[in-house]
Amino acid sequence: MTYSDFEFYNIQVETLVNKMLDSVREKCFSDYVLLLARGGYQVELERSTLSPYVVLSRQDIYLDRTREKFLVNYLNAYATILKEDIPLEYDYKEYDLNIQMMIYAQIWESHQFLKTLIRIGGILTGKPYNWRIQFEELKNGKKRLVHKGKVIKEQIIEPLDTGCPEFAKFIKNIYDSNLRNDFAHSSYYISVKDNVIVSMDSERYSVKKKTDLFDWEHMFVHSALLSYHLLHIINKRRNSFKKDYPNMESVEIEWPSHIEPSKKTSKLLIPKEYEWGIGFIFG
């Protein structure tokens, strides 16, 4: 990949994310505001006098802060290598590909990232705002983790196929459930010389799939840029909300009440000044 390719992809992903968020705003403005405000659910508040339905939870954001910082640092270093056209030794390239695989797996396992996409898919298909998203399910009276590939397919890609086909197609082109699993379970090896990542069947010790490094780089870069721009643009839009809507003091939202179950609507007050959560800047 050249630096000009990278710059093109960067603008392409940023434009796509802005277009999708514009669609969310047009579909349901109050849910758009909740998305910007990171409306969510905190289980630990269930037995307190406070509502577990929260907005702007620092706890929720801090959970993903280290991954976000690492991603941005890597993207800046990656862009520098491309811009200065620095040649890479085989050993370093293999090392770098392993770092990319780790980042890729982290992106598609990140609860914060996946929750955001799930909420966007729900809003665009006309569903109520999804306050509580769980990655566990009850089976035979026991909790078990839901397979992330199933979550991404059924709760992200399928709704987006209806609500925003362009974005759904984009995710289909960059997300590979089998590759993510291979990385997570170390069932692969890299051949820089042959320009491939080889996915292995760890039980039969046979080759399942070969991924060309050119195709891999495309998938990785687009996934990394999506992860960065999605959260960064939401932060930017939230922090500029008062400037964009100077006369708006509150927004009526569907806010569940754990004290008054019949109460469904509340007003979300818009702070006069709010400048928190911009996060780490790429570029």
Side-chain angles (χ1 to χ4, degrees):
M1 183 178 295
T2 65
Y3 182 68
S4 59
D5 289 334
F6 183 78
E7 283 189 310
F8 174 80
Y9 295 147
N10 185 39
I11 294 170
Q12 179 190 49
V13 175
E14 183 179 17
T15 301
L16 185 63
V17 171
N18 272 310
K19 184 178 178 181
M20 179 186 61
L21 290 174
D22 288 345
S23 297
V24 171
R25 182 181 59 202
E26 292 165 10
K27 185 71 177 181
C28 182
F29 186 76
S30 62
D31 284 354
Y32 168 74
V33 172
L34 279 176
L35 185 73
L36 298 189
R38 295 181 183 267
Y41 190 92
Q42 289 189 198
V43 177
E44 66 274 14
L45 297 179
E46 285 180 343
R47 297 182 181 180
S48 73
T49 57
L50 302 173
S51 172
Y53 299 95
V54 300
V55 295
L56 296 174
S57 166
R58 291 176 182 251
Q59 176 181 321
D60 198 32
I61 294 169
Y62 285 148
L63 286 173
D64 209 34
R65 192 168 176 83
T66 298
R67 182 191 71 83
E68 182 188 355
K69 181 180 180 181
F70 182 80
L71 170 65
V72 171
N73 286 338
Y74 180 85
L75 282 174
N76 281 320
Y78 180 82
T80 298
I81 289 173
L82 292 178
K83 189 173 185 179
E84 297 180 7
D85 197 20
I86 300 172
L88 302 179
E89 299 285 343
Y90 273 18
D91 285 348
Y92 181 85
K93 192 166 185 179
E94 182 179 299
Y95 165 83
D96 192 53
L97 286 166
N98 275 285
I99 296 294
Q100 290 181 5
M101 292 174 194
M102 181 190 73
I103 293 172
Y104 185 83
Q106 285 181 338
I107 289 170
W108 294 106
E109 287 283 344
S110 165
H111 285 191
Q112 179 79 332
F113 176 68
L114 295 179
K115 283 179 180 179
T116 303
L117 290 176
I118 289 169
R119 287 179 175 128
I120 287 171
I123 295 169
L124 290 174
T125 49
K127 295 179 180 177
Y129 184 83
N130 194 341
W131 288 86
R132 186 176 187 180
I133 297 172
Q134 300 181 77
F135 296 98
E136 295 178 331
E137 64 182 1
L138 279 174
K139 190 166 184 179
N140 299 324
K142 295 182 180 180
K143 281 187 176 181
R144 70 170 191 176
L145 293 175
V146 180
H147 192 277
K148 291 297 193 308
K150 180 180 179 183
V151 171
I152 292 167
K153 178 178 182 293
E154 296 179 358
Q155 299 187 49
I156 296 175
I157 293 176
E158 289 179 2
L160 287 173
D161 265 330
T162 302
C164 190
E166 181 183 5
F167 194 67
K169 182 180 178 182
F170 174 76
I171 291 181
K172 290 175 187 176
N173 287 335
I174 65 173
Y175 173 68
D176 187 314
S177 179
N178 292 322
L179 268 179
R180 182 189 61 81
N181 289 337
D182 294 335
F183 302 156
H185 300 292
S186 300
S187 301
Y188 69 92
Y189 72 85
I190 300 167
S191 175
V192 177
K193 182 179 179 181
D194 295 328
N195 211 45
V196 293
I197 298 171
V198 182
S199 299
M200 302 293 296
D201 186 319
S202 59
E203 293 185 4
R204 296 180 176 84
Y205 300 100
S206 58
V207 174
K208 291 193 300 183
K209 177 182 179 181
K210 292 183 179 180
T211 304
D212 185 88
L213 291 184
F214 175 83
D215 295 332
W216 160 251
E217 197 166 23
H218 171 88
M219 293 167 61
F220 166 73
V221 167
H222 281 81
S223 293
L225 290 172
L226 172 61
S227 177
Y228 169 74
H229 282 299
L230 181 64
L231 300 181
H232 182 69
I233 291 171
I234 285 175
N235 284 341
K236 284 180 64 179
R237 289 188 178 215
R238 180 177 67 249
N239 290 330
S240 67
F241 191 89
K242 193 62 183 177
K243 180 181 177 181
D244 296 337
Y245 304 94
N247 299 319
M248 190 176 294
E249 296 181 355
S250 65
V251 177
E252 201 164 88
I253 61 171
E254 292 289 320
W255 198 329
S257 171
H258 70 308
I259 298 175
E260 303 174 63
S262 61
K263 187 178 180 182
K264 295 286 186 178
T265 304
S266 295
K267 284 188 176 181
L268 179 63
L269 299 178
I270 307 300
K272 289 184 179 179
E273 292 184 8
Y274 187 76
E275 192 62 37
W276 178 80
I278 278 290
F280 305 97
I281 309 300
F282 160 65

PDB file of all heavy atoms in Angstrom, residues 47-69:
ATOM      1  N   ARG A  47     -29.197  -2.224  41.926  1.00  0.00           N
ATOM      2  CA  ARG A  47     -29.661  -2.307  43.317  1.00  0.00           C
ATOM      3  C   ARG A  47     -29.415  -1.021  44.092  1.00  0.00           C
ATOM      4  O   ARG A  47     -29.433  -1.014  45.324  1.00  0.00           O
ATOM      5  CB  ARG A  47     -28.978  -3.479  44.019  1.00  0.00           C
ATOM      6  CG  ARG A  47     -29.329  -4.830  43.393  1.00  0.00           C
ATOM      7  CD  ARG A  47     -28.687  -5.976  44.142  1.00  0.00           C
ATOM      8  NE  ARG A  47     -29.014  -7.250  43.515  1.00  0.00           N
ATOM      9  CZ  ARG A  47     -28.593  -8.434  43.962  1.00  0.00           C
ATOM     10  NH1 ARG A  47     -27.837  -8.492  45.047  1.00  0.00           N
ATOM     11  NH2 ARG A  47     -28.928  -9.546  43.337  1.00  0.00           N
ATOM     12  N   SER A  48     -29.193   0.064  43.368  1.00  0.00           N
ATOM     13  CA  SER A  48     -28.987   1.360  44.021  1.00  0.00           C
ATOM     14  C   SER A  48     -30.207   2.243  43.791  1.00  0.00           C
ATOM     15  O   SER A  48     -31.185   1.832  43.163  1.00  0.00           O
ATOM     16  CB  SER A  48     -27.742   2.039  43.450  1.00  0.00           C
ATOM     17  OG  SER A  48     -28.000   2.509  42.132  1.00  0.00           O
ATOM     18  N   THR A  49     -30.149   3.457  44.307  1.00  0.00           N
ATOM     19  CA  THR A  49     -31.244   4.415  44.090  1.00  0.00           C
ATOM     20  C   THR A  49     -31.089   5.137  42.760  1.00  0.00           C
ATOM     21  O   THR A  49     -31.948   5.919  42.371  1.00  0.00           O
ATOM     22  CB  THR A  49     -31.272   5.456  45.227  1.00  0.00           C
ATOM     23  OG1 THR A  49     -29.992   6.104  45.289  1.00  0.00           O
ATOM     24  CG2 THR A  49     -31.566   4.783  46.564  1.00  0.00           C
ATOM     25  N   LEU A  50     -29.982   4.881  42.076  1.00  0.00           N
ATOM     26  CA  LEU A  50     -29.724   5.524  40.788  1.00  0.00           C
ATOM     27  C   LEU A  50     -30.224   4.654  39.652  1.00  0.00           C
ATOM     28  O   LEU A  50     -30.272   3.433  39.758  1.00  0.00           O
ATOM     29  CB  LEU A  50     -28.226   5.784  40.614  1.00  0.00           C
ATOM     30  CG  LEU A  50     -27.556   6.653  41.678  1.00  0.00           C
ATOM     31  CD1 LEU A  50     -26.049   6.678  41.452  1.00  0.00           C
ATOM     32  CD2 LEU A  50     -28.126   8.060  41.660  1.00  0.00           C
ATOM     33  N   SER A  51     -30.569   5.287  38.548  1.00  0.00           N
ATOM     34  CA  SER A  51     -31.020   4.543  37.382  1.00  0.00           C
ATOM     35  C   SER A  51     -29.836   3.877  36.689  1.00  0.00           C
ATOM     36  O   SER A  51     -28.790   4.507  36.497  1.00  0.00           O
ATOM     37  CB  SER A  51     -31.731   5.461  36.397  1.00  0.00           C
ATOM     38  OG  SER A  51     -32.004   4.770  35.188  1.00  0.00           O
ATOM     39  N   PRO A  52     -29.981   2.596  36.293  1.00  0.00           N
ATOM     40  CA  PRO A  52     -28.902   1.939  35.536  1.00  0.00           C
ATOM     41  C   PRO A  52     -28.830   2.419  34.088  1.00  0.00           C
ATOM     42  O   PRO A  52     -27.880   2.115  33.377  1.00  0.00           O
ATOM     43  CB  PRO A  52     -29.289   0.460  35.608  1.00  0.00           C
ATOM     44  CG  PRO A  52     -30.770   0.459  35.779  1.00  0.00           C
ATOM     45  CD  PRO A  52     -31.099   1.686  36.566  1.00  0.00           C
ATOM     46  N   TYR A  53     -29.864   3.159  33.646  1.00  0.00           N
ATOM     47  CA  TYR A  53     -29.867   3.720  32.288  1.00  0.00           C
ATOM     48  C   TYR A  53     -29.114   5.042  32.328  1.00  0.00           C
ATOM     49  O   TYR A  53     -29.604   6.039  32.875  1.00  0.00           O
ATOM     50  CB  TYR A  53     -31.295   3.915  31.791  1.00  0.00           C
ATOM     51  CG  TYR A  53     -32.069   2.621  31.718  1.00  0.00           C
ATOM     52  CD1 TYR A  53     -32.901   2.223  32.779  1.00  0.00           C
ATOM     53  CD2 TYR A  53     -31.982   1.780  30.616  1.00  0.00           C
ATOM     54  CE1 TYR A  53     -33.611   1.021  32.720  1.00  0.00           C
ATOM     55  CE2 TYR A  53     -32.682   0.578  30.550  1.00  0.00           C
ATOM     56  CZ  TYR A  53     -33.489   0.212  31.608  1.00  0.00           C
ATOM     57  OH  TYR A  53     -34.182  -0.973  31.552  1.00  0.00           O
ATOM     58  N   VAL A  54     -27.916   5.067  31.780  1.00  0.00           N
ATOM     59  CA  VAL A  54     -27.030   6.216  31.958  1.00  0.00           C
ATOM     60  C   VAL A  54     -26.595   6.811  30.620  1.00  0.00           C
ATOM     61  O   VAL A  54     -26.679   6.160  29.575  1.00  0.00           O
ATOM     62  CB  VAL A  54     -25.771   5.809  32.759  1.00  0.00           C
ATOM     63  CG1 VAL A  54     -26.153   5.283  34.134  1.00  0.00           C
ATOM     64  CG2 VAL A  54     -24.963   4.746  32.005  1.00  0.00           C
ATOM     65  N   VAL A  55     -26.120   8.046  30.687  1.00  0.00           N
ATOM     66  CA  VAL A  55     -25.496   8.693  29.533  1.00  0.00           C
ATOM     67  C   VAL A  55     -24.130   9.210  29.960  1.00  0.00           C
ATOM     68  O   VAL A  55     -23.885   9.468  31.142  1.00  0.00           O
ATOM     69  CB  VAL A  55     -26.350   9.861  28.965  1.00  0.00           C
ATOM     70  CG1 VAL A  55     -27.657   9.342  28.399  1.00  0.00           C
ATOM     71  CG2 VAL A  55     -26.613  10.914  30.038  1.00  0.00           C
ATOM     72  N   LEU A  56     -23.241   9.333  28.994  1.00  0.00           N
ATOM     73  CA  LEU A  56     -21.895   9.854  29.210  1.00  0.00           C
ATOM     74  C   LEU A  56     -21.189   9.154  30.372  1.00  0.00           C
ATOM     75  O   LEU A  56     -20.615   9.796  31.256  1.00  0.00           O
ATOM     76  CB  LEU A  56     -21.958  11.370  29.467  1.00  0.00           C
ATOM     77  CG  LEU A  56     -22.478  12.190  28.289  1.00  0.00           C
ATOM     78  CD1 LEU A  56     -22.640  13.645  28.675  1.00  0.00           C
ATOM     79  CD2 LEU A  56     -21.569  12.054  27.089  1.00  0.00           C
ATOM     80  N   SER A  57     -21.264   7.833  30.377  1.00  0.00           N
ATOM     81  CA  SER A  57     -20.606   7.050  31.420  1.00  0.00           C
ATOM     82  C   SER A  57     -19.101   7.008  31.166  1.00  0.00           C
ATOM     83  O   SER A  57     -18.645   6.435  30.184  1.00  0.00           O
ATOM     84  CB  SER A  57     -21.168   5.629  31.443  1.00  0.00           C
ATOM     85  OG  SER A  57     -20.342   4.786  32.211  1.00  0.00           O
ATOM     86  N   ARG A  58     -18.335   7.600  32.056  1.00  0.00           N
ATOM     87  CA  ARG A  58     -16.879   7.574  31.919  1.00  0.00           C
ATOM     88  C   ARG A  58     -16.358   6.146  32.036  1.00  0.00           C
ATOM     89  O   ARG A  58     -15.387   5.773  31.388  1.00  0.00           O
ATOM     90  CB  ARG A  58     -16.234   8.471  32.983  1.00  0.00           C
ATOM     91  CG  ARG A  58     -16.490   9.952  32.748  1.00  0.00           C
ATOM     92  CD  ARG A  58     -15.929  10.801  33.871  1.00  0.00           C
ATOM     93  NE  ARG A  58     -16.242  12.208  33.634  1.00  0.00           N
ATOM     94  CZ  ARG A  58     -15.347  13.121  33.295  1.00  0.00           C
ATOM     95  NH1 ARG A  58     -14.091  12.767  33.150  1.00  0.00           N
ATOM     96  NH2 ARG A  58     -15.687  14.377  33.091  1.00  0.00           N
ATOM     97  N   GLN A  59     -17.018   5.367  32.862  1.00  0.00           N
ATOM     98  CA  GLN A  59     -16.597   3.978  33.038  1.00  0.00           C
ATOM     99  C   GLN A  59     -16.647   3.224  31.712  1.00  0.00           C
ATOM    100  O   GLN A  59     -15.721   2.489  31.362  1.00  0.00           O
ATOM    101  CB  GLN A  59     -17.510   3.291  34.047  1.00  0.00           C
ATOM    102  CG  GLN A  59     -17.209   1.812  34.230  1.00  0.00           C
ATOM    103  CD  GLN A  59     -18.163   1.165  35.221  1.00  0.00           C
ATOM    104  OE1 GLN A  59     -18.519   1.746  36.226  1.00  0.00           O
ATOM    105  NE2 GLN A  59     -18.567  -0.062  34.928  1.00  0.00           N
ATOM    106  N   ASP A  60     -17.720   3.422  30.953  1.00  0.00           N
ATOM    107  CA  ASP A  60     -17.886   2.730  29.672  1.00  0.00           C
ATOM    108  C   ASP A  60     -16.790   3.133  28.690  1.00  0.00           C
ATOM    109  O   ASP A  60     -16.263   2.312  27.946  1.00  0.00           O
ATOM    110  CB  ASP A  60     -19.268   3.059  29.108  1.00  0.00           C
ATOM    111  CG  ASP A  60     -19.698   2.063  28.043  1.00  0.00           C
ATOM    112  OD1 ASP A  60     -19.299   0.894  28.152  1.00  0.00           O
ATOM    113  OD2 ASP A  60     -20.425   2.444  27.122  1.00  0.00           O
ATOM    114  N   ILE A  61     -16.436   4.406  28.712  1.00  0.00           N
ATOM    115  CA  ILE A  61     -15.436   4.911  27.777  1.00  0.00           C
ATOM    116  C   ILE A  61     -14.029   4.461  28.175  1.00  0.00           C
ATOM    117  O   ILE A  61     -13.225   4.058  27.337  1.00  0.00           O
ATOM    118  CB  ILE A  61     -15.511   6.450  27.696  1.00  0.00           C
ATOM    119  CG1 ILE A  61     -16.853   6.868  27.069  1.00  0.00           C
ATOM    120  CG2 ILE A  61     -14.346   7.011  26.881  1.00  0.00           C
ATOM    121  CD1 ILE A  61     -17.151   8.333  27.168  1.00  0.00           C
ATOM    122  N   TYR A  62     -13.734   4.500  29.451  1.00  0.00           N
ATOM    123  CA  TYR A  62     -12.402   4.110  29.905  1.00  0.00           C
ATOM    124  C   TYR A  62     -12.090   2.646  29.617  1.00  0.00           C
ATOM    125  O   TYR A  62     -10.931   2.262  29.469  1.00  0.00           O
ATOM    126  CB  TYR A  62     -12.242   4.391  31.397  1.00  0.00           C
ATOM    127  CG  TYR A  62     -12.050   5.854  31.726  1.00  0.00           C
ATOM    128  CD1 TYR A  62     -12.531   6.397  32.910  1.00  0.00           C
ATOM    129  CD2 TYR A  62     -11.381   6.702  30.839  1.00  0.00           C
ATOM    130  CE1 TYR A  62     -12.358   7.738  33.214  1.00  0.00           C
ATOM    131  CE2 TYR A  62     -11.206   8.042  31.124  1.00  0.00           C
ATOM    132  CZ  TYR A  62     -11.690   8.555  32.324  1.00  0.00           C
ATOM    133  OH  TYR A  62     -11.516   9.883  32.607  1.00  0.00           O
ATOM    134  N   LEU A  63     -13.134   1.809  29.540  1.00  0.00           N
ATOM    135  CA  LEU A  63     -12.920   0.399  29.251  1.00  0.00           C
ATOM    136  C   LEU A  63     -12.209   0.192  27.918  1.00  0.00           C
ATOM    137  O   LEU A  63     -11.473  -0.773  27.731  1.00  0.00           O
ATOM    138  CB  LEU A  63     -14.268  -0.340  29.228  1.00  0.00           C
ATOM    139  CG  LEU A  63     -14.932  -0.600  30.579  1.00  0.00           C
ATOM    140  CD1 LEU A  63     -16.326  -1.187  30.378  1.00  0.00           C
ATOM    141  CD2 LEU A  63     -14.088  -1.555  31.422  1.00  0.00           C
ATOM    142  N   ASP A  64     -12.415   1.124  26.982  1.00  0.00           N
ATOM    143  CA  ASP A  64     -11.858   0.969  25.629  1.00  0.00           C
ATOM    144  C   ASP A  64     -10.721   1.953  25.353  1.00  0.00           C
ATOM    145  O   ASP A  64     -10.186   1.997  24.260  1.00  0.00           O
ATOM    146  CB  ASP A  64     -12.978   1.175  24.602  1.00  0.00           C
ATOM    147  CG  ASP A  64     -12.736   0.386  23.315  1.00  0.00           C
ATOM    148  OD1 ASP A  64     -12.170  -0.723  23.399  1.00  0.00           O
ATOM    149  OD2 ASP A  64     -13.101   0.872  22.247  1.00  0.00           O
ATOM    150  N   ARG A  65     -10.360   2.735  26.370  1.00  0.00           N
ATOM    151  CA  ARG A  65      -9.424   3.827  26.152  1.00  0.00           C
ATOM    152  C   ARG A  65      -8.017   3.342  25.792  1.00  0.00           C
ATOM    153  O   ARG A  65      -7.358   3.904  24.920  1.00  0.00           O
ATOM    154  CB  ARG A  65      -9.378   4.704  27.410  1.00  0.00           C
ATOM    155  CG  ARG A  65      -8.663   6.031  27.207  1.00  0.00           C
ATOM    156  CD  ARG A  65      -8.913   6.952  28.386  1.00  0.00           C
ATOM    157  NE  ARG A  65      -8.171   8.192  28.277  1.00  0.00           N
ATOM    158  CZ  ARG A  65      -8.557   9.251  27.589  1.00  0.00           C
ATOM    159  NH1 ARG A  65      -9.684   9.199  26.918  1.00  0.00           N
ATOM    160  NH2 ARG A  65      -7.835  10.348  27.547  1.00  0.00           N
ATOM    161  N   THR A  66      -7.552   2.284  26.441  1.00  0.00           N
ATOM    162  CA  THR A  66      -6.203   1.790  26.160  1.00  0.00           C
ATOM    163  C   THR A  66      -6.101   1.260  24.733  1.00  0.00           C
ATOM    164  O   THR A  66      -5.110   1.509  24.026  1.00  0.00           O
ATOM    165  CB  THR A  66      -5.820   0.687  27.164  1.00  0.00           C
ATOM    166  OG1 THR A  66      -5.823   1.248  28.484  1.00  0.00           O
ATOM    167  CG2 THR A  66      -4.428   0.140  26.865  1.00  0.00           C
ATOM    168  N   ARG A  67      -7.132   0.518  24.297  1.00  0.00           N
ATOM    169  CA  ARG A  67      -7.130  -0.006  22.927  1.00  0.00           C
ATOM    170  C   ARG A  67      -7.137   1.141  21.916  1.00  0.00           C
ATOM    171  O   ARG A  67      -6.413   1.109  20.908  1.00  0.00           O
ATOM    172  CB  ARG A  67      -8.364  -0.891  22.696  1.00  0.00           C
ATOM    173  CG  ARG A  67      -8.402  -1.517  21.298  1.00  0.00           C
ATOM    174  CD  ARG A  67      -9.739  -2.161  21.008  1.00  0.00           C
ATOM    175  NE  ARG A  67     -10.793  -1.185  20.826  1.00  0.00           N
ATOM    176  CZ  ARG A  67     -11.029  -0.542  19.672  1.00  0.00           C
ATOM    177  NH1 ARG A  67     -10.259  -0.763  18.617  1.00  0.00           N
ATOM    178  NH2 ARG A  67     -12.016   0.335  19.580  1.00  0.00           N
ATOM    179  N   GLU A  68      -7.948   2.152  22.186  1.00  0.00           N
ATOM    180  CA  GLU A  68      -8.039   3.286  21.273  1.00  0.00           C
ATOM    181  C   GLU A  68      -6.701   4.011  21.157  1.00  0.00           C
ATOM    182  O   GLU A  68      -6.255   4.364  20.060  1.00  0.00           O
ATOM    183  CB  GLU A  68      -9.118   4.261  21.758  1.00  0.00           C
ATOM    184  CG  GLU A  68      -9.322   5.454  20.844  1.00  0.00           C
ATOM    185  CD  GLU A  68     -10.246   6.500  21.437  1.00  0.00           C
ATOM    186  OE1 GLU A  68     -10.797   6.256  22.521  1.00  0.00           O
ATOM    187  OE2 GLU A  68     -10.391   7.558  20.808  1.00  0.00           O
ATOM    188  N   LYS A  69      -6.039   4.205  22.290  1.00  0.00           N
ATOM    189  CA  LYS A  69      -4.743   4.889  22.289  1.00  0.00           C
ATOM    190  C   LYS A  69      -3.710   4.092  21.496  1.00  0.00           C
ATOM    191  O   LYS A  69      -2.955   4.646  20.692  1.00  0.00           O
ATOM    192  CB  LYS A  69      -4.265   5.091  23.730  1.00  0.00           C
ATOM    193  CG  LYS A  69      -2.935   5.820  23.846  1.00  0.00           C
ATOM    194  CD  LYS A  69      -2.540   5.985  25.304  1.00  0.00           C
ATOM    195  CE  LYS A  69      -1.207   6.707  25.424  1.00  0.00           C
ATOM    196  NZ  LYS A  69      -0.793   6.861  26.847  1.00  0.00           N
TER     197      LYS A  69
END
